[in-house]
Structures are given as structure tokens and as C-alpha cells.
Amino acid sequence: MDREMQNSSLHIARGPEGSESGGMSKNLDDDGRPKRTGTWITASAHIITAVIGSGVLSLAWAIAQLGWVVGPLVLMVFSFITFFTSTLLADSYRSPDPITGNRNYTYMDAVRAHLGGRKVQLCGLAQYVNLIGITVGYTITASISMVAVRRSNCFHKHGHAVKCQTSNNPYMIIFACIQIMLSQIPNFHKLSWLSILAAVMSFAYSSIGLGLSLAKVIGGAHARTSLTGVTVGVDVSAEQKVWRTFQALGDIAFAYAYSTVLIEIQDTLKSSPPENKAMKRASFVGILTTTTFYILCGCLGYAAFGNDAPGNFLTGFGFYEPFWLIDLANACIAIHLIGAYQVFCQPIFSFVESRCHRRWPDSKFMTREHAINIPFYGVYYLNLFRLVWRTLYVIVTAVLAMILPFFNDFLALLGAISFWPLTVYFPIEMYMARSKMPKFSFRWTSLKMLSWACLAVSLVSAAGSVEGLIQALKTYKPFKAQQ
């Protein structure tokens, strides 16, 4: 049996507004699509999967650059801004009314409905460049965690003085092979189980990191810390202090990056209670949970390692023993990132597939799906275009990850690029357009000042991240895996 791709994609062409008889089928939503079944719980799992990712691993380093005062304060400020703008974005899912209006299936659809013009293209450029960057970053991070398992066992067997170096590339290939298979999942609605598993994994490795840091502090580790972070003239030069501070802001901004997929997550929610209310509740739970973990991981990690905190506190080998617990934590990271990769790449897949379907509606290669009976699964509908395009995408992201295998600098650059336009600017602009807010009113001025301040943060974070990447490229020396 053949099916059209529009029935299996995340946001292909809009369905009919009603059935032929004028009433909606009990199996269809108000837009004529299959009834959505997501709840605030599944949305919270998607958010936690998207937010508690590789960013949490760099927070001890970020706190070390900022110190005991500024570090936790910056984390709290970013969490507040993210929650505030996510509530504005949740109201943009439907337009013109946030409860009864027409659905906007993607972030770009929301910007098109509320703002229009060139801002739609700018939003698409920012969103999809960021999504591609995140999938590349997750490929890097997953491979680092896989390598850390091998190195942990090597250190345990041969001692901590042994280099135990190995290439990340084979593990990036393994990760890519797994993603090629998972990428054939047709759409976001089929990913709830993967997000729940990934969320459990994120709690697991974060808890292990917390436990190891706490044990090191209780065990009498006397790490050197300060109110202002790394000390000029002792740990770093004045110039390095400035650049590292900027980069730390980018790392923290990346740690809260989920606005790029918020609308897509909201599109999985059932209509009652209203999607915007359920999404706001999910955002509150997700951000509260992640912020708690972030402060604990960042502060305990800094207390354990001090100004020498590694860029990745589970793979930088601040901990060596118990080696099996380090292995478990890094295995959890890899499993979590397998799911997180899918959360971020599904909007890319759907965007390209919808455009191609509209461009070549009569192409059987694009639209035809072939029914395949899979034991213990049932019928799977194979689409050749989906198979080829998604496979090529995963391969390209893996190749890019092999070219730029730098963890901290890459994450900070992604955070800097995406934070202002996607987390702050567009949600605020859509809110002001929807509410027809008078220019130069107190609220208009306050929101504009918030947006400009966040733009400044993004610019300095990007500058620090680029400088970090330049230095990393200068000192980077690829090595062959040791036998």
C-alpha cells in the first residue's frame, strides 16, 4: 500500500479544516490532522531532553571563569529570561488568538503569521543553522563520551600517567550509524518514548556528576576557588580572562537552548487543556528542573575542581575512580545525546521534506511509501526520499564534527549565535505585534531594552567563542589511535 508523505511528516501541507460532512472526525484535530496525544508531561520530557544536554558538562568550567558571585547569578538570569520568552513563544503557536486561532506548525510559521516579510527568512536562517550546529555539536559530544569510556578503562588498567589517547572519529561513525537508523522515524509524534529515555539518562549522568563532585568535596579536596573565578596573573592573563568570560556566557546560553524546537514540541500537545497553557506548564517544570541541576552541577563541580575545572567535567578526567561509575555516566551521556539529536534534527527533516513535496508533488520518489512488514513491530512505511536525504544529512554532520572536534568552543559559539534571535528577539517581537503594543510605552521600552541587552551578550559571547576556536585550531594536533 502507498501513502502520501504528507500523512507522515511533522509539518507538511495543512490538512482540511473539517470532514466532508462539516464535522470533525473523532480521530482528527481541528486542522484535519490525526489527533495529537501529547501532554505537559511528554512536553516536559522533550524540553528536558533538549535542555539538559552537553551544556551541563561545561558549567563547572563556566562557573570557574565567572566565580562564585557572577556564575550562579548569570545562570539564574538566563533561566528567567528563557522561561519568560518561552511563555511569549507558547502564545504564538496559534494566531491571531493564542487559544482558538489557526495553528502554526513551526517557528517559521509563527513568525510568518505574526511578523511576515524578511523576518521569516531571517528566522529560518537562524533556526536551521542553529539546529544543524547543535546536531554537529551533539555528534562531537557523544563521541567524546564514548572515547571517555575506553580511556577510563585504560587508566584503571595501566595507571593515570598513561596517555590512553584514541581517535574520536570511529566513535563519530558509530554514532552516525545509530542516527541513520533512528532518523527513519517519520516524525516528532513518534519520539516521545525516545525523549523519555533520554530524559532519564540526563538525570542519571547529571546525578553521577553531582555525586562524584560532592564526594570529592567531602573527601577533603582543597580546590582553589574565588569570588571572581580564575585569577589574573595566576591562572590566566588579563586578555584570557576577558575572552574566557565571554565564552562562559556562550556556554551558559547554549545550556538553555530549546526555543528552536519549542513550537514543534507544542505541536505534539492535545487540544485540551489549551496548548499554550500546557506548554507554559511544561516550560516551567522543564526550566525549573534543569536550572536546579545546572546550579548544583556548576557549583559543586567548581567546588571540586576549583579554577582548574575541566571543560567537560565527566570526560576531562577530573575523576578517575570508581572507573565503572565514570563508564556508566558517559554511557548515559551517549544514550541521551542519541535521543537529543533526533529532537533537534526532526524539524530540519520535516522542513526539507515539506518543501520538496510541494516542489515535486507528482514524483513517486518523493511521495510514495512502501509498506514493509517488520516482525514484532508491524507495518513500516518506507519512503525512498526520506531514506536517502536523512542518511546524507547524518553523514554530513558527522563529517563536520570530525573537522571541528572542539567541545567547549563549539558549544559556546552555538549558544551565542542562537540565544538572541531565537530565544529573545522573535518571541518579544511577536508578542508586541500580537498585543499591538504602543511604541515607546513603558512595556515596549522595557522589552526593547531586554532585547538589546541580550544582543550585546550574544555578540560578546560570539567574539569569545571565535577567539577560543582560533586558539584551539592553532594548537590542534590530530593523532592516530594507539594500538
Side-chain angles (χ1 to χ4, degrees):
M1 177 186 293
D2 295 335
R3 293 191 309 161
E4 293 300 314
M5 188 186 297
Q6 63 199 48
N7 291 327
S8 64
S9 243
L10 176 61
H11 54 264
I12 310 296
R14 297 174 186 249
E17 295 300 323
S19 63
E20 294 180 0
S21 61
M24 292 304 300
S25 166
K26 64 179 180 179
N27 295 321
L28 299 178
D29 266 331
D30 57 344
D31 59 348
R33 296 190 175 192
K35 190 171 286 292
R36 296 158 176 84
T37 57
T39 66
W40 69 269
I41 296 175
T42 60
S44 298
H46 283 312
I47 291 170
I48 292 171
T49 300
V51 178
I52 300 185
S54 50
V56 70
L57 304 173
S58 65
L59 290 181
W61 181 89
I63 297 294
Q65 311 314 307
L66 301 173
W68 283 119
V69 177
V70 178
L73 179 62
V74 169
L75 275 172
M76 293 298 296
V77 169
F78 270 84
S79 67
F80 173 77
I81 292 173
T82 303
F83 174 68
F84 172 67
T85 56
S86 69
T87 60
L88 303 183
L89 192 54
D91 285 335
S92 301
Y93 172 64
R94 287 181 181 265
S95 60
D97 186 87
I99 296 178
T100 61
N102 295 323
R103 296 175 187 266
N104 297 306
Y105 302 109
T106 68
Y107 203 133
M108 281 183 68
D109 286 344
V111 173
R112 182 179 293 108
H114 291 91
L115 302 176
R118 290 177 93 54
K119 291 182 179 180
V120 179
Q121 286 72 36
L122 292 174
C123 171
L125 179 64
Q127 182 184 14
Y128 291 106
V129 166
N130 182 58
L131 288 172
I132 293 169
I134 289 175
T135 55
V136 173
Y138 281 0
T139 303
I140 295 171
T141 311
S143 69
I144 290 174
S145 294
M146 293 176 185
V147 167
V149 173
R150 180 173 176 177
R151 293 186 67 200
S152 174
N153 294 332
C154 174
F155 287 134
H156 178 73
K157 184 176 181 181
H158 300 292
H160 301 169
V162 181
K163 290 185 177 180
C164 293
Q165 289 182 322
T166 187
S167 172
N168 288 8
N169 291 350
Y171 297 92
M172 291 185 186
I173 294 172
I174 292 172
F175 183 80
C177 290
I178 295 171
Q179 293 302 337
I180 287 172
M181 291 186 290
L182 288 177
S183 292
Q184 301 313 309
I185 296 174
N187 56 52
F188 227 145
H189 306 291
K190 305 295 183 181
L191 284 176
S192 293
W193 66 272
L194 188 59
S195 281
I196 292 172
L197 174 63
V200 171
M201 293 297 103
S202 68
F203 281 121
Y205 70 72
S206 297
S207 298
I208 291 172
L210 285 173
L212 290 171
S213 297
L214 185 60
K216 190 167 184 176
V217 172
I218 294 175
H222 299 290
R224 184 168 50 85
T225 65
S226 70
L227 293 178
T228 58
V230 292
T231 306
V232 175
V234 178
D235 303 302
V236 292
S237 65
E239 181 183 3
Q240 287 176 322
K241 174 71 172 180
V242 173
W243 288 122
R244 286 189 175 196
T245 298
F246 291 164
Q247 187 179 333
L249 294 175
D251 281 338
I252 294 174
F254 177 81
Y256 283 102
Y258 85 100
S259 298
T260 48
V261 292
L262 186 146
I263 295 292
E264 284 80 359
I265 293 174
Q266 193 167 344
D267 191 44
T268 68
L269 297 174
K270 58 186 179 181
S271 301
S272 180
E275 301 92 353
N276 64 332
K277 292 184 179 179
M279 194 65 199
K280 289 175 183 178
R281 184 178 184 183
S283 294
F284 177 78
V285 171
I287 292 176
L288 177 64
T289 303
T290 54
T291 300
T292 302
F293 267 82
Y294 282 177
I295 291 177
L296 288 173
C297 286
C299 292
L300 279 177
Y302 183 41
F305 301 115
N307 293 344
D308 296 323
N312 183 326
F313 83 139
L314 282 176
T315 63
F317 287 93
F319 305 110
Y320 288 94
E321 300 292 342
F323 79 98
W324 59 269
L325 193 58
I326 306 298
D327 290 353
L328 177 61
N330 282 294
C332 289
I333 293 172
I335 294 172
H336 168 254
L337 293 180
I338 287 171
Y341 184 103
Q342 287 299 313
V343 169
F344 283 100
C345 71
Q346 283 288 334
I348 302 172
F349 293 159
S350 297
F351 174 76
V352 171
E353 287 158 17
S354 65
R355 289 300 181 92
C356 291
H357 182 265
R358 287 196 293 267
R359 178 67 178 81
W360 297 284
D362 299 323
S363 170
K364 293 183 179 180
F365 176 71
M366 294 286 176
T367 61
R368 178 166 292 179
E369 297 194 0
H370 307 275
I372 300 176
N373 286 311
I374 300 177
F376 308 109
Y377 174 82
V379 178
Y380 173 77
Y381 292 93
L382 175 68
N383 176 268
L384 294 179
F385 173 68
R386 185 168 64 231
L387 175 65
V388 173
W389 138 245
R390 296 188 180 192
T391 299
L392 286 175
Y393 176 85
V394 173
I395 292 173
V396 169
T397 57
V399 171
L400 290 174
M402 292 177 190
I403 296 172
L404 289 172
F406 309 115
F407 176 75
N408 256 33
D409 309 292
F410 196 82
L411 296 192
L413 182 59
L414 289 176
I417 291 173
S418 64
F419 174 68
W420 176 70
L422 298 172
T423 302
V424 180
Y425 175 75
F426 284 115
I428 286 177
E429 290 295 313
M430 287 190 286
Y431 170 71
M432 291 194 297
R434 184 172 61 250
S435 61
K436 296 180 173 57
M437 189 179 301
K439 284 187 177 182
F440 306 110
S441 64
F442 177 77
R443 182 177 294 182
W444 184 93
T445 304
S446 299
L447 291 174
K448 283 291 186 180
M449 289 179 64
L450 173 62
S451 181
W452 293 335
C454 291
L455 173 60
V457 170
S458 285
L459 290 175
V460 299
S461 300
S465 305
V466 170
E467 195 276 340
L469 277 173
I470 292 172
Q471 295 303 319
L473 284 168
K474 287 180 179 178
T475 58
Y476 178 57
K477 295 180 180 178
F479 55 84
K480 295 182 180 179
Q482 294 182 350
Q483 301 297 323

